[in-house]
Amino acid sequence: MARKSGGGGAHRAGSLKQQNKPHKSGRHSGSSAKKQGGRVPAKTLSQQRHRNLAKLDRKHRAWQLRRQCREMVLEEKRNLGRKDGPPHLVVVVPLHAGVAIPRALSLFQSSAASTVCQTKMGPPGFGLLCHQSRLRWRFVVADTGNLHAVLDLAKVADTLLFVLDPHEGWDAAGDYCLSCIFAQGLPSYGLAVQGLSDQPLKKQIDCRKKLNKAIEKRFPEDRLFPLDTEQESALLLQHLASQKQRHLVFRDRRAHLLATAATFVPSTDSALVGTLKVSGYVRGRSLNVNSLVHIVGHGDFQMSQVDASPEPFALNSRTAKVHPRSMGDQDDLVRREEEMEEDVKVLSKADASKQESLQSEVTPDPMDGEQTWPTEEELKEAEESLAQRKKMTKRVPKGTSAYQAAWILDNNDELESGSEEDDEEEDKEENMVEEPISQDGSGSEEEEEEEDEEATEEEEGPDMTLLDDEKMEDNEAILEKYRQERQEEMFPDEVDTPRDVAARIRFQKYRGLKSFRTSPWDPQENLPRDYARIFQFQDFSRTRKHVFRQLEKEESSGAEVGCYVTLHICSVPASVMESFQQQAPLLLFTLLPYEQKMSVLNLLVRRQPGDTEPVRSKEEVIVHCGFRRFRASPLYSQHSSADKHKLEQFLRADTATVATIYGPITFPPASVLLFRQKSNGAHSLLATGSLLSVDPDRLVIKRVVLSGHPFKILSKMAVVRYMFFNREDVLWFKPVELRTKWGRRGHIKEPLGTHGHMKCQFDGQLKSQDTVLMTLYKRVFPRWTYDPHVPEPPRESLSSLLPGQEEEEMD
């Protein structure tokens, strides 16, 4: 019966209608506040305030933030080069051999309203006092033939002034310097071209177009200034003074200075060590006398005293009256030095209770792991066994210690798992010597040699062969490294099982994993002896944040930024002063807490495109990390987010790689440059990157793949040979899972015969052309070859480091 429209009774919902729970709007904040005792979380409160701001209030807030940032930039510009700040440090870098630097510097000195102050020590340069603009400048010329000097000056420079050639711009040496400076960190810079006005007008336009096209790759949207007249030099100075400063974080968090003068006072005990008095302007942060100071290229030292000396580049009446030419007279220089010595005031002296220690390593205690003290009977038994041991004669490998020789078994003895009869060979003896070292987890040099032996099919790696055989030609060694790298790319981590050594001994430190990603691995297991010498943070990221937070909170104590001070540095070798007298730059950086201590650094680097020579793990390189420079032998591993990272035998060129080394603690961010030292002493740029972390617990796992071939195939069963060569090895590695190159998985059922054949079962039928693989893993550690003293490369043209590049530019 149809219902009539407009009828009497309305529709009522039945008892089965769904009833939804009403939304509780506006009760969340109140309920959470009640649970927390009436308090609202700070994050929620800040979101509410931001949400409740009106449109005009938000615009006003944004305007305030912009004004604060603008005022900070203007204040920085006002302080740099002014009376209250240090002189504006300009490092002149010629990028071409045809650039005449003396001519360019004479243009800056020729201004009538300025005073020139010559410097007697350190790299060539001068000070410039502009009385009209009330600015102070210090110009320093970088020697492009010395790569260390260029990089060191770029660490502290306020502005880098690149001088280009009008025809070619820069040559191969200049391009190499630019690559290194860009990787280290580029501060504020300016581009100037010299000799452009000497060309005809039509050629000037062509040269300018060619230069603008060339600098677009390196310096996009940057202006090129001519530098041929006094007006052009004044315009360039105005641009350098007004441009925004680019910051390098690693130097802004540390007090640093570039020495303008230094004197060496030998100690009473030896003339080779003494007190070095270094004078310069404080930059970055205020300098505390109780902190340690790092002299770039020479090491860490303590300060005993900080003096306030008269400024050599002061904008005062006495300096302004001196004629520019008279500043270089010897009588006036001697008189000014005497006046400066009279005006020296002591700012602060070191407090022994607050001074940082120079201890960089932990002294390991060999009895630290002992729980009981030996009794008299045990001592007598040890003496008797020692006397018997002296009477016994054994045939041991060369260089074996008495403790290691005690573990070498005689011919009549047998291993628990079985041994071969030919254990008297040299390779067999070396592996047997290393067996007890693997049990207690100690032993660094022997373990590192064994790791190098396992890297290839042969038992001696190319690096060890190259070191032992000095008669081998360099080209043959490089050819062998190319062959090994190619083999590693084709068959990654695959090695042949040795026939003269039992596999259970050859690979005794390896283990099998069910899954490389999820299987557990204790980071404190079987640590080498070198790990007893390093320092480790419980939480490095938390410590880093705490140190930086303390730097922001602490009140400025000591010498303020812009003060001209003289630092008294203790126990400095005389070679530092000799290097400074040979016009090498002398740079000082104060260290943050813990930065003098040794630990394990992880560097994230990427291969330089121009370098193609293979680089193996544990090959010694020169590391530039932040403001430090030292030698190390890194381990290369994959960069991933997992807790285990696979070792790379060679530094790959197609991806980012993590290099693990022993080195002094440095708080990131810090730039990293890796150099290879060639046979002629020159340094070739190998890789660039940054400091990733300071973490000794980072697991670098070496993988070894043993291969076998199916001999007989029956359904899911197969007989595999050539993986092992004796029955005992098959039984030893029976628990390890097998896989094939075509994706099958299986395990060993039982050995067949006495020659290493084994019956295996897989999850599917194998193909006759398939290969059976067994994967073994072992944790590896870097080699302790840290050396803070890196000799300077020979003074030669840097174009020899980039073969073929100069010819390409000429074409």
Side-chain angles (χ1 to χ4, degrees):
M1 181 176 179
R3 178 177 298 177
K4 296 180 179 180
S5 60
H11 174 72
R12 291 186 177 89
S15 59
L16 299 180
K17 177 177 173 57
Q18 178 180 352
Q19 298 290 335
N20 295 328
K21 187 177 180 180
H23 179 65
K24 299 178 180 179
S25 59
R27 296 182 58 186
H28 297 82
S29 60
S31 60
S32 62
K34 292 179 181 178
K35 292 179 181 179
Q36 299 179 7
R39 298 180 60 185
V40 181
K43 185 176 181 180
T44 305
L45 187 61
S46 62
Q47 292 176 353
Q48 290 177 356
R49 288 183 178 178
H50 182 72
R51 184 172 59 249
N52 296 332
L53 286 177
K55 182 177 181 180
L56 290 178
D57 296 335
R58 293 196 301 270
K59 291 178 65 177
H60 181 66
R61 178 61 179 167
W63 175 79
Q64 287 180 332
L65 293 176
R66 289 196 304 270
R67 187 180 62 177
Q68 291 177 3
C69 295
R70 192 184 303 112
E71 290 178 354
M72 290 175 59
V73 173
L74 291 176
E75 183 180 1
E76 182 181 7
K77 290 181 180 179
R78 296 188 191 103
N79 292 335
L80 184 60
R82 301 286 180 174
K83 180 180 179 182
D84 298 333
H88 194 139
L89 180 58
V90 179
V91 176
V92 183
V93 182
L95 297 181
H96 196 276
V99 173
I101 292 299
R103 177 186 171 187
L105 296 181
S106 62
L107 294 176
F108 295 111
Q109 300 177 8
S110 58
S111 177
S114 61
T115 303
V116 179
C117 304
Q118 300 292 343
T119 56
K120 300 182 298 179
M121 306 177 68
F126 60 91
L128 186 66
L129 307 178
C130 299
H131 304 288
Q132 185 175 1
S133 59
R134 306 295 295 175
L135 288 176
R136 300 185 295 174
W137 303 83
R138 186 187 177 189
F139 289 85
V140 178
V141 181
D143 183 11
T144 53
N146 188 350
L147 183 62
H148 286 179
V150 176
L151 294 179
D152 290 347
L153 289 174
K155 290 181 175 71
V156 297
D158 295 322
T159 301
L160 292 178
L161 180 58
F162 299 111
V163 185
L164 284 69
D165 183 76
H167 300 287
E168 300 181 7
W170 52 74
D171 53 8
D175 186 76
Y176 183 70
C177 284
L178 285 178
S179 300
C180 297
I181 292 174
F182 271 74
Q184 178 181 259
L186 182 66
S188 302
Y189 62 91
L191 300 176
V193 56
Q194 187 184 32
L196 191 62
S197 61
D198 299 340
Q199 307 294 327
L201 183 59
K202 187 175 181 180
K203 272 198 170 183
Q204 289 185 18
I205 300 175
D206 295 340
C207 290
R208 184 177 289 274
K209 288 182 179 180
K210 185 178 179 180
L211 287 177
N212 289 333
K213 186 176 180 180
I215 67 176
E216 281 181 359
K217 300 178 182 179
R218 289 281 191 179
F219 311 96
E221 299 180 0
D222 202 37
R223 183 180 176 185
L224 184 64
F225 289 85
L227 187 59
D228 293 317
T229 62
E230 295 183 8
Q231 292 78 8
E232 293 173 347
S233 65
L235 184 63
L236 178 59
L237 282 182
Q238 183 180 1
H239 169 71
L240 298 181
S242 60
Q243 70 176 351
K244 183 179 179 180
Q245 292 295 311
R246 304 176 64 176
H247 296 275
L248 300 181
V249 182
F250 74 89
R251 75 179 184 186
D252 290 342
R253 288 195 171 115
R254 300 167 179 86
H256 59 277
L257 60 88
L258 176 64
T260 58
T263 56
F264 182 75
V265 180
S267 62
T268 57
D269 299 335
S270 174
L272 301 177
V273 179
T275 301
L276 183 66
K277 299 180 181 180
V278 182
S279 301
Y281 287 92
V282 179
R283 302 173 184 270
R285 299 185 62 89
S286 58
L287 189 144
N288 190 357
V289 67
N290 294 320
S291 60
L292 298 180
V293 63
H294 175 79
I295 302 179
V296 177
H298 299 281
D300 304 335
F301 303 94
Q302 288 181 332
M303 293 180 290
S304 61
Q305 184 176 326
V306 177
D307 299 337
S309 305
E311 299 185 27
F313 309 139
L315 285 169
N316 50 27
S317 58
R318 181 176 59 183
T319 308
K321 293 179 181 178
V322 181
H323 194 268
R325 296 181 179 178
S326 65
M327 293 293 294
D329 297 341
Q330 188 67 24
D331 297 337
D332 292 340
L333 289 175
V334 173
R335 177 177 53 81
R336 292 183 70 242
E337 288 180 357
E338 294 177 355
E339 294 177 357
M340 291 170 61
E341 291 179 358
E342 294 177 357
D343 298 339
V344 169
K345 297 180 181 179
V346 178
L347 282 181
S348 57
K349 291 187 177 182
D351 188 359
S353 60
K354 299 180 180 179
Q355 199 170 21
E356 292 284 345
S357 173
L358 283 173
Q359 181 185 6
S360 60
E361 301 178 13
V362 178
T363 304
D365 187 5
M367 301 297 293
D368 192 19
E370 297 291 335
Q371 297 181 358
T372 57
W373 188 259
T375 60
E376 296 181 359
E377 298 178 356
E378 294 175 345
L379 292 175
K380 290 181 180 180
E381 291 178 0
E383 292 177 359
E384 293 176 359
S385 62
L386 181 61
Q388 294 178 0
R389 194 179 306 161
K390 291 181 179 179
K391 297 178 182 178
M392 296 172 59
T393 58
K394 285 186 179 182
R395 182 173 177 268
V396 297
K398 184 179 180 181
T400 305
S401 64
Y403 174 76
Q404 295 171 340
W407 290 85
I408 298 180
L409 303 178
D410 295 333
N411 296 334
N412 299 328
D413 298 336
E414 294 181 0
L415 292 172
E416 296 179 0
S417 59
S419 63
E420 296 293 328
E421 294 180 356
D422 56 349
D423 58 350
E424 295 180 358
E425 297 180 1
E426 294 182 0
D427 295 338
K428 176 69 176 177
E429 290 175 352
E430 291 178 0
N431 286 277
M432 292 182 66
V433 169
E434 293 169 355
E435 181 180 359
I437 301 176
S438 65
Q439 295 175 1
D440 59 357
S442 60
S444 56
E445 297 179 358
E446 294 83 357
E447 184 178 9
E448 291 160 0
E449 293 176 1
E450 190 262 346
E451 291 169 0
D452 289 340
E453 293 171 0
E454 296 169 354
T456 61
E457 294 180 357
E458 302 173 357
E459 293 206 2
E460 288 189 2
D463 290 343
M464 300 302 296
T465 306
L466 184 60
L467 292 175
D468 295 338
D469 192 4
E470 298 178 354
K471 298 180 181 180
M472 181 181 296
E473 298 292 338
D474 293 341
N475 54 356
E476 295 180 0
I478 295 176
L479 182 62
E480 178 67 16
K481 290 173 67 176
Y482 275 110
R483 187 185 69 83
Q484 296 290 346
E485 185 182 32
R486 178 62 177 169
Q487 185 178 2
E488 180 68 20
E489 292 178 358
M490 297 176 61
F491 307 99
D493 301 324
E494 289 193 28
V495 298
D496 288 342
T497 307
R499 304 192 64 175
D500 54 348
V501 181
R504 62 188 181 279
I505 297 177
R506 179 70 172 88
F507 305 109
Q508 60 185 344
K509 298 180 182 179
Y510 289 81
R511 68 182 67 176
L513 296 179
K514 183 68 175 177
S515 172
F516 182 77
R517 184 178 62 87
T518 61
S519 297
W521 196 302
D522 186 8
Q524 305 298 328
E525 177 185 2
N526 290 339
L527 297 178
R529 190 171 299 173
D530 290 334
Y531 263 51
R533 303 164 58 185
I534 66 173
F535 292 84
Q536 182 176 0
F537 295 101
Q538 188 174 5
D539 189 348
F540 175 73
S541 60
R542 182 179 179 182
T543 304
R544 172 177 170 271
K545 293 179 181 178
H546 175 71
V547 170
F548 291 164
R549 195 179 300 115
Q550 290 298 117
L551 287 178
E552 296 176 358
K553 290 183 179 180
E554 68 179 4
E555 298 180 358
S556 58
S557 59
E560 297 291 340
V561 177
C563 296
Y564 187 79
V565 297
T566 300
L567 308 182
H568 297 245
I569 307 174
C570 308
S571 303
V572 179
S575 59
V576 180
M577 188 62 189
E578 295 175 359
S579 175
F580 187 57
Q581 290 175 348
Q582 296 174 0
Q583 295 187 345
L586 183 60
L587 279 70
L588 283 76
F589 281 83
T590 58
L591 299 181
L592 301 179
Y594 316 111
E595 283 195 332
Q596 78 278 15
K597 303 182 184 302
M598 295 290 295
S599 188
V600 178
L601 308 184
N602 300 308
L603 316 175
L604 182 61
V605 297
R606 186 178 290 271
R607 187 74 178 268
Q608 188 71 7
D611 190 273
T612 58
E613 184 179 339
V615 182
R616 287 188 60 88
S617 286
K618 294 188 178 180
E619 185 176 339
E620 190 177 74
V621 298
I622 298 172
V623 183
H624 290 236
C625 182
F627 53 88
R628 294 184 183 271
R629 182 170 60 240
F630 54 89
R631 292 178 179 269
S633 299
L635 278 179
Y636 303 112
S637 59
Q638 293 180 351
H639 178 49
S640 61
S641 59
D643 60 342
K644 293 181 287 295
H645 311 272
K646 178 185 168 297
L647 173 73
E648 295 287 354
Q649 297 290 349
F650 292 87
L651 178 60
R652 300 182 59 181
D654 56 347
T655 183
T657 309
V658 177
T660 303
I661 60 173
Y662 288 109
I665 294 172
T666 304
F667 290 105
S671 58
V672 171
L673 286 80
L674 300 185
F675 290 88
R676 178 199 291 113
Q677 186 169 1
K678 295 195 172 184
S679 57
N680 58 356
H683 294 175
S684 175
L685 184 60
L686 181 64
T688 60
S690 59
L691 177 60
L692 180 63
S693 64
V694 181
D695 185 14
D697 290 341
R698 189 178 189 273
L699 297 175
V700 180
I701 307 300
K702 180 179 181 179
R703 184 180 70 175
V704 166
V705 179
L706 306 181
S707 59
H709 303 276
F711 177 54
K712 294 180 181 180
I713 301 174
L714 179 61
S715 185
K716 295 184 179 181
M717 302 293 294
V719 178
V720 181
R721 60 179 179 177
Y722 301 146
M723 183 176 289
F724 303 108
F725 298 100
N726 59 72
R727 184 183 183 92
E728 290 78 10
D729 288 343
V730 177
L731 294 174
W732 181 267
F733 290 100
K734 185 178 179 180
V736 183
E737 186 182 14
L738 301 177
R739 63 181 178 89
T740 68
K741 288 190 175 181
W742 286 27
R744 297 299 182 188
R745 293 187 176 272
H747 60 275
I748 301 174
K749 292 288 290 184
E750 58 182 354
L752 297 178
T754 60
H755 295 283
H757 291 202
M758 55 187 182
K759 183 187 294 185
C760 305
Q761 183 176 3
F762 295 90
D763 57 356
Q765 186 172 1
L766 297 185
K767 302 293 183 180
S768 59
Q769 63 268 32
D770 203 352
T771 305
V772 181
L773 305 176
M774 176 182 287
T775 308
L776 302 175
Y777 301 94
K778 179 188 69 171
R779 184 181 180 185
V780 291
F781 302 91
R783 183 181 298 169
W784 192 296
T785 58
Y786 172 76
D787 184 11
H789 305 289
V790 179
E792 294 184 359
R795 301 179 63 85
E796 58 181 6
S797 177
L798 297 180
S799 60
S800 61
L801 300 176
L802 300 174
Q805 183 172 353
E806 190 171 5
E807 288 79 7
E808 294 177 2
E809 292 186 358
M810 292 178 64
D811 294 337

